Amino acid sequence: MKNILIDCDPGHDDALAIMVALAHSEAVNVLGITTIGGNQTLTKVTQNAKNILHFLDVTIPLAKGQEGPLVKALKTAPEAHGESGMDGPYFDGESYPVSDLTGVEFLYQMIQASTEKVTLVALGPLTNIALLLKTHPDIVPAIEAISLMGGGISHGNQTALAEFNIYVDPEAAEIVFQSGIPIIMAGLDVTEKAEITVQEINALQNGGKVSNLAYELLSFYNQSGRQFGFIDSPIHDLCAIAYLLRPDIFNGVQADIHVITDNSPARGLTYGDFRRIAEEPKQTFVLQEVNREKFVELLVDSLKKLDRQVENR
Ligand code: RIB
Ligand code: CA
C-alpha cells in the first residue's frame, strides 16, 4: 500500500488519473489532492476537482495550491481542455469542502501526519511541489518518490521542445528534478504511446455512471486532440498513476534530468544525461515504453469497479 498525494490541474486526463487511483484503494491510499493553475485558472481547475470528487461521492481532503508559476505568468490551455478546463460533461458547480490551508501547507501537514513515507503524484505544473521542497526542506526524507507527468526527451507539445506542464513552470521543474528525491518521469515519449482509441472510447458509452462520465470526458478530449494531429487520445496523466499500480507494463531508463529555464526557444526543454557514467546521480526513471492494451485495460477495469462502487452507495 502506498500513501499518495495528488497535485493536479483537472484537466480531462487528470480526472481519469484520479478515478483510477480511487478505484485501487487496495494499492494506493489517496491522502489528499491539491490543485495548481495550469490547464485552466486555479479557480476553474479546483472547481473541476470538486466536481469529480462530488460525482464519485468520496471524502478525499482537497486544497487549493498556487495560482500560477514561480516566475512568469500562467499560460492556460483552453484550446486543449476547453473554457472550463474540463469541457464535455455537464456539472452544476458541485459543492465540496476545500481546506483553509494553502496547498503547500496542506501537502506539508499531510506528509508530516503520515506514518509511512508518501509518494507525490504530480499531474500539472510543478509549482506547488517546488515550493513545498524549498519552504520545508525538512520534509524531503518523508517523501518516497515523485511520480510525475511532464517533459519529453524527444519532443515537446507546448513548443517543439517543451511539454506543457514543464513549460508553464520550468524553474519549479528544475528544483524538483534536482531535489535528490527519486522521480518517475512520464514524459511525452511514453504518454503519447498511452493512447485510447476512438473505438475503445465509444465502448465506454452506456456503461455505468462513471464509465459514461469517462466517455463524455474522452469524447471531448478526442475531438480536441484532432487539432494537434491526434486521431486516438493520449491519456498523459494516467501514466503517472498507472506506473504506481502496474510498473510491469512500462519500461524506462535511469538518467539525470535537467530543465532549460532561460528565455531561449528551448525554455522548458527537459534533457537527460544518459551516459553510462553521468556527472550527476541518475535520480530520474524516464519511462519510454508502455503496453498500450494493458494500459487501457487498467482504465476500463477501474471504471467498471467505480461503476459498481457508486451504484452500491
Ligand atoms: O502535456 C500534457 C499535460 O498538460 C497533462 O498534464 C495535461 O493535463 C496538461 O496539463
Ligand atoms: Ca494535468
Side-chain angles (χ1 to χ4, degrees):
M1 168 74 80
K2 288 184 185 294
N3 283 345
I4 71 171
L5 285 161
I6 301 174
D7 187 69
C8 58
D9 60 338
H12 295 74
D13 51 335
D14 306 68
L16 293 168
I18 291 168
M19 289 179 193
V20 171
L22 293 176
H24 288 276
S25 54
E26 80 290 346
V28 290
N29 175 25
V30 182
L31 300 176
I33 293 175
T34 47
T35 55
I36 177 68
N39 281 324
Q40 261 297 353
T41 63
L42 178 63
T43 300
K44 289 183 176 180
V45 300
T46 303
Q47 183 56 54
N48 292 336
K50 291 166 71 172
N51 291 340
I52 289 292
L53 295 173
H54 179 273
F55 181 90
L56 296 174
D57 192 19
V58 294
T59 56
I60 304 292
L62 174 66
K64 282 172 69 170
Q66 295 298 111
E67 295 273 355
L70 297 179
V71 175
K72 300 233 176 182
L74 173 62
K75 180 193 178 320
T76 58
E79 68 282 357
H81 295 273
E83 264 317 298
S84 72
M86 205 165 72
D87 280 15
Y90 171 75
F91 290 107
D92 189 19
E94 314 299 353
S95 62
Y96 188 88
V98 179
S99 168
D100 293 332
L101 294 171
T102 65
V104 170
E105 291 313 307
F106 177 88
L107 290 169
Y108 182 54
Q109 293 189 20
M110 282 290 182
I111 299 168
Q112 277 187 315
S114 175
T115 54
E116 306 288 330
K117 281 193 172 188
V118 175
T119 296
L120 302 182
V121 178
L123 308 178
L126 291 163
T127 317
N128 291 335
I129 311 296
L131 281 174
L132 169 69
L133 301 181
K134 284 296 181 190
T135 311
H136 299 290
D138 59 296
I139 206 66
V140 168
I143 299 171
E144 178 79 29
I146 299 172
S147 183
L148 64 86
M149 190 279 139
I153 304 304
S154 59
H155 65 289
N157 60 5
Q158 188 57 36
T159 71
L161 300 173
E163 178 277 328
F164 178 79
N165 288 340
I166 308 299
Y167 181 76
V168 168
D169 199 340
E171 287 79 9
E174 177 67 1
I175 288 168
V176 172
F177 279 109
Q178 300 315 312
S179 65
I181 297 168
I183 291 173
I184 300 106
M185 173 181 164
L188 297 175
D189 313 278
V190 72
T191 67
E192 289 187 352
K193 297 167 186 167
E195 287 189 297
I196 186 168
T197 67
V198 173
Q199 187 180 7
E200 289 162 338
I201 292 171
N202 290 336
L204 295 170
Q205 192 177 19
N206 304 321
K209 191 178 167 189
V210 182
S211 294
N212 209 57
L213 172 62
Y215 166 74
E216 292 175 350
L217 286 166
L218 285 164
S219 295
F220 173 89
Y221 192 56
N222 181 264
Q223 282 308 310
S224 166
R226 300 295 167 94
Q227 67 190 302
F228 306 118
F230 289 98
I231 301 299
D232 296 325
S233 296
I235 314 179
H236 303 284
D237 289 338
L238 181 52
C239 291
I241 288 287
Y243 179 80
L244 299 181
L245 297 172
R246 290 291 307 275
D248 60 299
I249 70 172
F250 293 90
N251 71 26
V253 64
Q254 290 290 143
D256 168 39
I257 299 294
H258 283 271
V259 184
I260 300 292
T261 58
D262 62 18
N263 289 317
S264 74
R267 180 171 173 79
L269 182 153
T270 48
Y271 64 95
D273 186 344
F274 294 89
R275 291 173 294 180
R276 291 176 187 279
I277 308 292
E279 289 162 5
E280 301 280 336
K282 298 185 176 186
Q283 295 285 5
T284 300
F285 186 56
V286 180
L287 301 184
Q288 295 176 311
E289 303 293 337
V290 61
N291 180 317
R292 192 202 72 81
E293 287 71 21
K294 290 185 175 174
F295 175 80
V296 173
E297 186 183 327
L298 173 65
L299 171 63
V300 172
D301 290 351
S302 301
L303 295 170
K304 287 177 179 170
K305 209 169 162 185
L306 291 172
D307 284 337
R308 292 192 295 274
Q309 285 177 12
V310 169
E311 278 145 19
N312 293 337
R313 282 212 176 94

